[in-house]
């Protein structure tokens, strides 16, 4: 009983420390199911016109010790890391230390020779044809909670004898490409990737609780634990990954607010660099793709959006911006079943209600013809090396991507 009372006091104290004066009760209500002393949860930051209008933690960073989530809790932000690596590439290109159309073997000559060659630009936009190491390791029955080091990932890339497709001809999301970009930064700069990012990005922006983890045994203060639901409670998920560039960036909601504000009113990076960050990829056919420099362009209810999500070892993250509305949402969660992108859209519904067009379709009210229950199930190819399985569960259809939970 004393422990529970202490946990409640800690949550109230942490909330008071991280909350902005204008916190929205409607946002609080969205996250109420996770705001408990016996549950992991999420930290939410909302920015409007450059100001933080909502900052709060819901649930616990560590269930063993009853430590609550706050704006200063350190998360593995998973694939949201990619825009930071892409920013580094854009800066080095502006400094004349590389060009986007350079063959990656110019910097990493031990990679296999390709004809046509793989370029830096293709790595940035996921059009290289390189196989994605998570999917390949999963096919090899690798234990994802075991050590996966940066050196192992580089060796994986060096031993790919063939590609999924000719470089530039298709889009296929590849963490491997961003790991190679991190190695390019290191070799071009003569510094470790972590050191270059610290010196050129994080320290200038005052992101004092942010770093790329290059040692999985390094202790990290105020770090959240990643969890997955178990039968009656939660289980801890191990995180021994050092996938520099594609993932393994440890940061806080408060630090990511600083990064997000830099898109609105740049303190770091020239106008050319920021313009480069918005450049979408293009296939050899001339077709434009939504993926830019670690950011995905899209629309939501009539408004343009730019963002990226992340998923690894119980961490689920998103950084979503609506540039035309001067609005952004950062969500960092430490529970594997959390859906941050959907929650970010629901937050946008609250703050941008007057600017949004009516929803075209309520996704939880779709009527399925009985015949579709028999004909729809199967394995679908969405792109090179990108598959989704649709299955029948009673009177429902569910879809499941590789290593992901099922969704209606």
């Amino acid at each position: 009983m004393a422990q529970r009372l202490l946990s409640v006091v800690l949550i109230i104290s942490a909330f008071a420390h991280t909350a902005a004066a204008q916190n929205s009760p409607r946002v609080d209500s969205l996250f109420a199911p996770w705001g408990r002393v016996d549950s992991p949860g999420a930290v939410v930051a909302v920015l409007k016109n450059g100001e933080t209008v909502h900052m709060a933690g819901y649930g616990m960073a560590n269930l063993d010790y009853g430590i609550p989530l706050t704006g200063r809790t350190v998360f593995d932000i998973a694939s949201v890391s990619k825009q930071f690596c892409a920013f580094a590439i854009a800066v080095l290109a502006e400094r004349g230390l590389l060009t986007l159309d350079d063959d990656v073997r110019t910097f990493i000559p031990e990679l296999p020779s390709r004809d046509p060659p793989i370029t830096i630009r293709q790595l940035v936009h996921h059009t290289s044809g390189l196989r994605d190491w998570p999917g390949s390791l999963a096919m090899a029955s690798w234990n994802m909670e075991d050590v996966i080091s940066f050196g192992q990932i580089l060796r994986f890339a060096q031993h790919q004898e063939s590609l999924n497709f000719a470089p530039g001809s298709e889009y296929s999301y590849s963490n491997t490409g961003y790991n190679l970009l991190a190695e390019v930064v290191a070799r071009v700069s003569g510094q470790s990737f972590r050191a270059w990012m610290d010196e050129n990005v994080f320290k200038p922006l005052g992101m004092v609780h942010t770093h790329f983890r290059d040692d999985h045994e390094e202790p990290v203060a105020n770090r959240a634990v990643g969890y997955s639901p178990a039968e009656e409670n939660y289980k801890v998920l191990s995180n021994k990954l050092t996938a520099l560039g594609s993932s393994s960036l440890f940061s806080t909601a408060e630090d990511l607010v600083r990064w997000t504000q830099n898109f609105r009113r740049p303190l770091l990076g020239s106008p050319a660099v920021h313009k480069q960050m918005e450049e979408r990829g293009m296939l050899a056919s001339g077709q434009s793709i939504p993926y830019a420099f670690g950011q995905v362009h899209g629309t939501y209810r009539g408004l343009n959006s730019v963002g990226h999500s992340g998923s690894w070892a119980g961490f689920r993250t998103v950084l979503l911006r609506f540039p035309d509305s001067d609005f952004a949402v950062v969500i960092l969660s430490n529970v594997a079943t959390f859906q941050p992108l959907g929650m970010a859209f629901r937050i946008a519904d609250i703050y941008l209600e007057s600017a949004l067009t009516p929803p075209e379709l309520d996704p939880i009210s779709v009527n399925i013809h009985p015949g579709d229950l028999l004909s729809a199930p199967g394995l679908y190819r969405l792109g090179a090396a990108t598959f989704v399985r649709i299955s029948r569960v009673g009177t429902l259809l569910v879809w499941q991507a590789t290593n992901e939970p099922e969704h209606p």
Side-chain angles (χ1 to χ4, degrees), residues 15 23-33 35 54-58 350:
F15 183 86
N23 271 3
S24 167
R26 294 175 67 185
V27 174
D28 288 338
S29 68
L30 288 178
F31 290 85
H54 189 103
M55 172 75 78
Y58 306 89
I350 293 172

Side-chain angles (χ1 to χ4, degrees), residues 247-326:
S247 189
S248 299
L249 181 60
F250 281 42
S251 190
T252 69
E254 289 188 358
D255 276 6
L256 291 176
V257 163
R258 294 181 175 89
W259 171 253
T260 305
Q261 288 171 327
N262 193 59
F263 282 103
R264 177 181 182 269
R265 186 168 295 171
L267 299 175
L268 180 68
S270 69
V273 166
H274 281 269
K275 182 179 179 181
Q276 186 74 80
M277 288 291 291
E278 306 298 324
E279 181 186 276
R280 302 186 190 200
M282 185 171 292
L283 302 180
S285 64
Q287 177 187 350
S288 176
I289 63 174
Y291 204 93
F293 275 57
Q295 303 182 102
V296 181
H297 289 263
T299 59
Y300 176 68
R301 295 182 58 185
L303 297 180
N304 293 323
S305 65
V306 183
H308 208 293
S309 60
S311 171
W312 183 259
F315 294 98
R316 300 294 184 266
T317 59
V318 72
L319 196 166
L320 181 66
R321 298 186 293 120
F322 293 84
D324 299 337
S325 302
D326 203 355

